[in-house]
Amino acid sequence: MSNSSIKTDVLIIGSGIAGLFAALKISEFADVVLVTKKDKNESNTNYAQGGIASVISKNDSFDKHIQDTLIAGAGLCNEKMVRIMVEEGPERIKDLIEIGTNFSKKEGHLDLALEGGHSEPRIVHAKDLTGKEIESALVTKVNSLKNIKVIENTIAIDLITEHNIKQLRASTLQNRTCWGAYVLDVKSGSVIKISSKATLLATGGVGQVYQHTTNPQIATGDGIAMSYRAGAKLANMEFIQFHPTSLYKKSSEFFGEQSFLISEAVRGFGGKLLTRNGFEFMSKYDERKELAPRDIVARAIDSELKKSGEEFVLLDITHKNSDEIKSHFPNIYEHCLKLGVDITKDPIPVVPAAHYSCGGVKVDEFARTSLKGLYACGEVTMTGVHGANRLASNSLLEAVVFADRVALDLKMFLKEQQDIFSEIPDWDDSGTLTADENVLISHNYKEVKTTMWDYVSIVRSNQRLERAAKRIHIIYEEVEDFYKRTKVFSELLELRNLVACAHIIIKSALQRKESRGLHFTLDYPDLSENAEDTIIQNVNP
Ligand code: FAD
Ligand code: SIN
């Protein structure tokens, strides 16, 4: 296991929409090394169904999209950032089409779907496989460019900043710079030092911190945990979005398994939510019924399930034309059919599942974090566009808009940043041993996920959060001790990151003394007068 090193202009970590789109834009003026944990297509992006929101129709307007986003965000959006995202959206959709994304069309124009919280149909999509279509177009384009080197099966361990360099360790947090990352080549077990003039985190979300999630296994919050350890500012991590409708399954065979999503677009298409005995319940909770923002629909389902003691509610689309259902939702139709549910004839059993992190690494309008040289875009960030609750299909949009802005800023930054810092030490794992107690990994992985599901999900309370904090602290100490004694491997790195994210989510949730958007607590059921972001920073990195 020999360790090696690479130097590049820009290191990108992650190959979802944010990382790949930024790589394309940056490659116009600089060399890029992009590392990704598994194969390059594996990402949350690849599973996105509903689509990407943008103002395309003549009946629509930027102001309407901005208003819808602000309403969903429950008073916590940064209006300036929302405007940037909405106004630059149509140009980025054009970019995606130019790159080769084949969106669905109707009578020669983009087919625009409707989703919860949107006052106009504005969801650009590729049937119900939008993410797969975008991801594969981006990967094809990236593969064709010589100055983007993609390294698969390579997991970033930690960012390189002053805290890795003995003679600079005492420097203040305000002056911290990021010079790349240490990454693990999963197949060989060797650690590579990648030093760069700038680093972009595009590592996606944290869904795997919860027992039930629509997110794939890669979503272990690595970028959030690495940023925290390096001392970057994080914000609003209490706002975890639970998608109201994931397909119910009795129990998961494997703990990291992702729940299959039944797209919001099914409700946009006319799907009705029913209790198991056929009662339409959404009108009791909100006049927008099934098309209310996600936090409201997820809480309504949670409340019905708690009252009835049932394990799922039903999503019924059987009143719509069966050929149209199959043509709009071929992926959902096929998937459910394989499990014995014909969605044209049978209502679909659904439950909420952790879906999206509205908080993350705090960035400005050019995706700059609080550390010099460290940029972040996509789900790993808190740009301010989602506030306390993300509007459906605004995530892919946010990712492309701010990925483009990273490139705009980097053009200037790279001119100023002539050299790569030369005294970065190699990875030092002397004194560590190969792991011999892997049960600690699997046991603690499950425990983090069940603790977070039972105590830190849709409805919270101080008591539940404090219980969770105690358990997560014990696991944190065990995992840190194991990490210090052991040669790194991917499951250990992911568990270490999951525990850090669980800690950050709980800490943020305890700080928010009100109920707003996705954060609902029995101890403070009302909105407070001041809408403020929750900032978390490790001041002793
Ligand atoms: P991702 O696409 O998750 O990519 C992250 C990348 O980082 C991956 O390649 C991963 O392997 C890599 N990575 C992570 N950690 C490391 C590490 N330590 N080292 C190296 N690589 C690492 N949003 C919408 O707007 N519209 C939708 O219709 C929609 N549908 C969705 C459906 C599902 C089932 C899910 C799960 C999400 C959906 N979302 C949707 C949300 C949206 O897909 C994501 O927020 C978005 O794709 C995130 O893109 P990203 O590039 O930031 O991260
Ligand atoms: C969905 O298709 O329901 C997911 C849309 C989103 O997460 O924005």
Side-chain angles (χ1 to χ4, degrees):
M1 290 195 295
S2 68
N3 295 334
S4 55
S5 61
I6 296 175
K7 280 188 183 181
T8 182
D9 292 331
V10 181
L11 166 65
I12 298 182
I13 306 173
S15 62
I17 186 171
L20 294 170
F21 194 84
L24 291 180
K25 294 277 176 167
I26 297 166
S27 71
E28 290 169 15
F29 54 87
D31 288 337
V32 173
V33 168
L34 185 153
V35 295
T36 189
K37 264 202 228 194
K38 296 208 165 167
D39 71 64
K40 35 192 158 195
N41 290 72
E42 188 56 357
S43 57
N44 273 8
T45 303
N46 206 34
Y47 297 90
Q49 293 184 354
I52 172 163
S54 194
V55 175
I56 306 285
S57 149
K58 285 200 186 81
N59 299 330
D60 202 357
S61 69
F62 289 148
D63 281 342
K64 283 189 197 169
H65 190 181
I66 291 168
Q67 273 315 309
D68 294 344
T69 303
L70 297 180
I71 291 169
L76 206 62
C77 296
N78 178 327
E79 196 168 337
K80 178 181 141 199
M81 299 292 259
V82 173
R83 185 167 288 281
I84 288 174
M85 174 182 77
V86 166
E87 293 187 351
E88 295 179 12
E91 282 303 307
R92 300 293 79 81
I93 299 281
K94 273 192 209 151
D95 287 346
L96 288 173
I97 293 171
E98 260 166 41
I99 287 160
T101 314
N102 199 1
F103 289 121
S104 298
K105 291 209 170 144
K106 197 175 176 182
E107 292 156 12
H109 299 286
L110 288 173
D111 181 33
L112 302 173
L114 183 66
E115 285 182 347
H118 289 273
S119 56
E120 291 289 342
R122 62 168 76 95
I123 316 300
V124 179
H125 63 103
K127 296 197 183 277
D128 58 352
L129 285 165
T130 310
K132 199 170 192 177
E133 175 61 27
I134 294 177
E135 183 80 21
S136 93
L138 288 169
V139 165
T140 306
K141 184 78 186 169
V142 161
N143 284 344
S144 73
L145 295 172
K146 286 213 176 67
N147 58 339
I148 307 177
K149 180 180 165 66
V150 179
I151 316 180
E152 295 179 306
N153 300 308
T154 302
I155 176 167
I157 305 169
D158 260 321
L159 298 168
I160 300 171
T161 70
E162 284 82 349
H163 75 280
N164 303 100
I165 301 161
K166 235 189 204 152
Q167 64 271 33
L168 301 180
R169 218 164 273 164
S171 76
T172 61
L173 202 51
Q174 286 74 19
N175 301 323
R176 290 264 148 137
T177 304
C178 177
W179 289 295
Y182 294 110
V183 304
L184 170 71
D185 173 346
V186 176
K187 290 196 172 148
S188 73
S190 65
V191 175
I192 309 167
K193 172 179 77 181
I194 306 188
S195 32
S196 55
K197 292 180 186 168
T199 303
L200 171 62
L201 277 176
T203 45
V206 303
Q208 281 292 332
V209 90
Y210 286 94
Q211 185 179 353
H212 302 288
T213 177
T214 62
N215 291 191
Q217 280 174 49
I218 53 98
T220 47
D222 299 0
I224 288 164
M226 287 190 283
S227 304
Y228 178 70
R229 288 194 290 268
K233 275 190 191 153
L234 309 177
N236 290 353
M237 281 300 298
E238 67 277 30
F239 296 119
I240 300 293
Q241 183 169 71
F242 291 81
H243 197 292
T245 59
S246 77
L247 184 63
Y248 169 78
K249 57 179 185 281
K250 200 144 185 59
S251 68
S252 159
E253 299 270 299
F254 165 66
F255 238 74
E257 198 182 307
Q258 91 193 90
S259 307
F260 182 77
L261 183 74
I262 306 296
S263 174
E264 182 128 353
V266 174
R267 277 175 286 130
F269 193 66
K272 293 275 160 223
L273 284 165
L274 311 174
T275 58
R276 272 188 86 178
N277 50 20
F279 176 70
E280 267 187 40
F281 58 85
M282 271 315 297
S283 52
K284 278 196 300 183
Y285 295 91
D286 194 284
E287 58 185 18
R288 291 162 290 183
K289 300 184 196 168
E290 279 78 5
L291 290 180
R294 272 182 201 170
D295 56 332
I296 295 170
V297 183
R299 261 198 309 279
I301 296 176
D302 188 64
S303 157
E304 290 296 321
L305 294 179
K306 291 223 162 78
K307 265 189 275 173
S308 65
E310 299 285 2
E311 292 188 9
F312 56 84
V313 294
L314 299 168
L315 177 60
D316 188 11
I317 191 75
T318 55
H319 51 284
K320 300 292 277 193
N321 176 287
S322 87
D323 288 338
E324 279 186 32
I325 296 175
K326 286 185 214 164
S327 115
H328 275 82
F329 307 110
N331 172 41
I332 296 174
Y333 173 74
E334 289 296 335
H335 186 95
C336 291
L337 199 60
K338 273 191 215 136
L339 300 174
V341 180
D342 178 345
I343 68 168
T344 65
K345 299 194 182 101
D346 312 313
I348 313 165
V350 291
V351 281
H355 182 62
Y356 182 81
S357 168
C358 293
V361 184
K362 190 169 162 44
V363 292
D364 68 8
E365 68 272 30
F366 288 103
R368 294 175 290 216
T369 71
S370 60
L371 302 186
K372 192 174 167 210
L374 180 66
Y375 292 73
C377 63
E379 189 169 339
V380 69
T381 60
M382 200 297 280
T383 57
V385 300
H386 306 309
N389 179 33
R390 174 176 68 95
L391 185 65
S393 290
N394 266 356
S395 166
L396 296 171
L397 178 67
E398 177 197 38
V400 273
V401 165
F402 289 95
D404 178 65
R405 293 185 140 248
V406 172
L408 292 178
D409 197 74
L410 270 178
K411 226 180 215 173
M412 305 300 294
F413 181 81
L414 292 179
K415 277 188 195 143
E416 293 157 19
Q417 196 78 2
Q418 294 294 333
D419 299 314
I420 298 178
F421 189 72
S422 60
E423 290 176 59
I424 301 167
D426 287 338
W427 182 253
D428 180 8
D429 59 3
S430 52
T432 57
L433 297 171
T434 304
D436 60 356
E437 323 165 58
N438 285 342
V439 63
L440 181 142
I441 304 287
S442 54
H443 179 89
N444 282 332
Y445 194 80
K446 279 186 201 167
E447 199 170 335
V448 172
K449 288 164 78 76
T450 45
T451 301
M452 292 300 284
W453 186 258
D454 291 341
Y455 299 128
V456 197
S457 56
I458 298 174
V459 177
R460 300 164 178 178
S461 69
N462 282 344
Q463 194 185 38
R464 289 177 194 169
L465 293 174
E466 275 152 19
R467 259 188 216 148
K470 274 190 208 148
R471 282 164 173 76
I472 294 296
H473 184 70
I474 295 169
I475 300 174
Y476 168 82
E477 297 213 313
E478 268 181 28
V479 173
E480 278 306 302
D481 174 62
F482 191 65
Y483 176 81
K484 282 182 195 134
R485 291 186 287 113
T486 313
K487 297 210 183 303
V488 288
F489 56 103
S490 51
E491 291 83 353
L492 170 59
L493 296 174
E494 290 186 335
L495 173 62
R496 183 175 183 236
N497 293 331
L498 269 194
V499 180
C501 289
H503 162 76
I504 295 162
I505 294 168
I506 297 167
K507 198 167 168 193
S508 308
L510 282 166
Q511 271 187 36
R512 187 166 291 284
K513 307 265 186 259
E514 61 167 349
S515 290
R516 182 185 294 277
L518 298 160
H519 176 70
F520 183 82
T521 164
L522 299 171
D523 291 293
Y524 311 99
D526 302 317
L527 276 180
S528 75
E529 277 174 22
N530 297 330
E532 279 174 12
D533 292 330
T534 311
I535 303 290
I536 301 275
Q537 187 174 24
N538 171 13
V539 290
N540 245 335

